[in-house]
């Protein structure tokens, strides 16, 4: 297997994690996924490095699930920083680990699409994909140029006592999950 083939399989695996049969009627978002996978996740708050680590750990979860040896994953996938796509999917998995409900089932895709929509990328399917717009949105997100409530970022928390731009993503997520439970 070549590096390119493994990268393509990995991208497809990530796509399937959040675009399962419940989302099959949606238009394709493969252009958006591919593009987000080519943008490095950079961060301004040190603890957001944990989100980066979670995203890079996703590579080894893929390897484990697909029975690829760790040295192959290290050589072919783990040769670059975490991508925005990896961070988003890993964070979606974290949301589901916290909010797991056997009566509802797996909602990793739901958490992922909530973040995509909050960022303003929900309309960026393959037929409407606009690279310039996506660049602008992701740049604002990474530079934390969204509203103090988190609108335009990953999570909107209407009743936060803090400016969401100044706290790590993990706290933003926890406050968001707490708010939707009330």
């Amino acid at each position: 297997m070549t590096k390119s083939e493994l990268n393509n399989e990995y991208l497809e695996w990530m796509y399937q994690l959040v675009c399962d049969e419940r989302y099959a009627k949606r238009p394709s978002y493969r252009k958006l996924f591919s593009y987000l996978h080519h943008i490095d996740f950079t961060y301004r708050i040190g603890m957001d490095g944990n989100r980066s680590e979670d995203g890079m750990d996703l590579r080894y979860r893929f390897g484990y699930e697909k029975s690829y040896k760790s040295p192959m994953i290290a050589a072919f996938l783990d040769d670059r920083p975490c991508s925005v796509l990896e961070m988003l999917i890993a964070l979606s998995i974290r949301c589901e680990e916290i909010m797991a409900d056997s009566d509802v089932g797996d909602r990793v895709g739901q958490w992922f699409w909530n973040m995509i929509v909050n960022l303003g990328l929900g309309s960026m399917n393959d037929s409407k994909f606009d690279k310039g717009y996506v660049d602008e949105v992701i740049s604002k997100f990474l530079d934390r140029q969204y509203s103090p409530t988190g609108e335009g970022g990953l999570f909107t928390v209407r009743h936060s006592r803090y400016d969401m731009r100044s706290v790590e993503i993990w706290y933003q997520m926890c406050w968001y999950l707490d708010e939707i439970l009330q």
Side-chain angles (χ1 to χ4, degrees), residues 135-157:
D135 280 338
E136 182 181 324
V137 166
I138 296 302
S139 180
K140 284 181 180 178
F141 160 63
L142 294 175
D143 292 339
R144 293 179 169 258
Q145 295 177 345
Y146 42 86
S147 82
T149 64
E151 189 173 352
L154 301 179
F155 304 103
T156 301
V157 178

Side-chain angles (χ1 to χ4, degrees), residues 12-179:
E12 181 61 26
W13 177 81
M14 287 190 289
Y15 190 82
Q16 294 303 317
L17 283 177
V18 295
C19 294
D20 63 12
E21 58 277 349
R22 286 181 285 180
Y23 304 99
K25 292 186 171 108
R26 287 180 179 243
S28 172
Y29 284 84
R30 292 182 190 283
K31 289 179 182 177
L32 177 63
F33 274 61
S34 180
Y35 196 68
L36 292 178
H37 190 49
H38 286 92
I39 300 173
D40 292 346
F41 171 63
T42 57
Y43 48 92
R44 295 174 178 258
I45 295 177
M47 292 303 287
D48 284 342
N50 293 320
R51 306 294 59 82
S52 180
E53 291 297 321
D54 283 349
M56 291 188 294
D57 287 346
L58 202 58
R59 301 164 185 177
Y60 292 92
R61 177 179 173 167
F62 160 76
Y64 177 78
E65 288 185 13
K66 296 294 187 172
S67 299
Y68 292 119
K69 303 276 188 226
S70 290
M72 181 184 216
I73 298 301
F76 287 2
L77 296 180
D78 205 9
D79 61 346
R80 60 167 290 211
C82 176
S83 71
V84 169
L85 179 65
E86 289 173 310
M87 186 281 297
L88 291 171
I89 291 175
L91 190 58
S92 301
I93 292 168
R94 290 285 191 185
C95 285
E96 184 56 21
E97 289 170 353
I98 292 169
M99 300 296 287
D101 182 340
S102 59
D103 292 336
V104 179
D106 183 356
R107 294 173 291 175
V108 170
Q110 176 183 325
W111 305 121
F112 175 82
W113 288 106
N114 286 349
M115 288 185 279
I116 289 293
V117 167
N118 202 52
L119 283 167
L121 297 174
S123 65
M124 289 290 104
N125 63 53
D126 289 353
S127 66
K128 297 178 183 174
F129 182 77
D130 179 337
K131 179 183 174 293
Y133 176 75
V134 174
D135 280 338
E136 182 181 324
V137 166
I138 296 302
S139 180
K140 284 181 180 178
F141 160 63
L142 294 175
D143 292 339
R144 293 179 169 258
Q145 295 177 345
Y146 42 86
S147 82
T149 64
E151 189 173 352
L154 301 179
F155 304 103
T156 301
V157 178
R158 303 269 177 235
H159 305 293
S160 176
R161 297 178 313 189
Y162 303 96
D163 184 333
M164 298 288 275
R165 299 169 295 190
S166 66
V167 296
E168 66 181 277
I169 292 170
W170 182 261
Y171 285 129
Q172 293 180 27
M173 177 195 75
C174 290
W175 295 336
Y176 167 77
L177 295 175
D178 188 50
E179 192 170 271

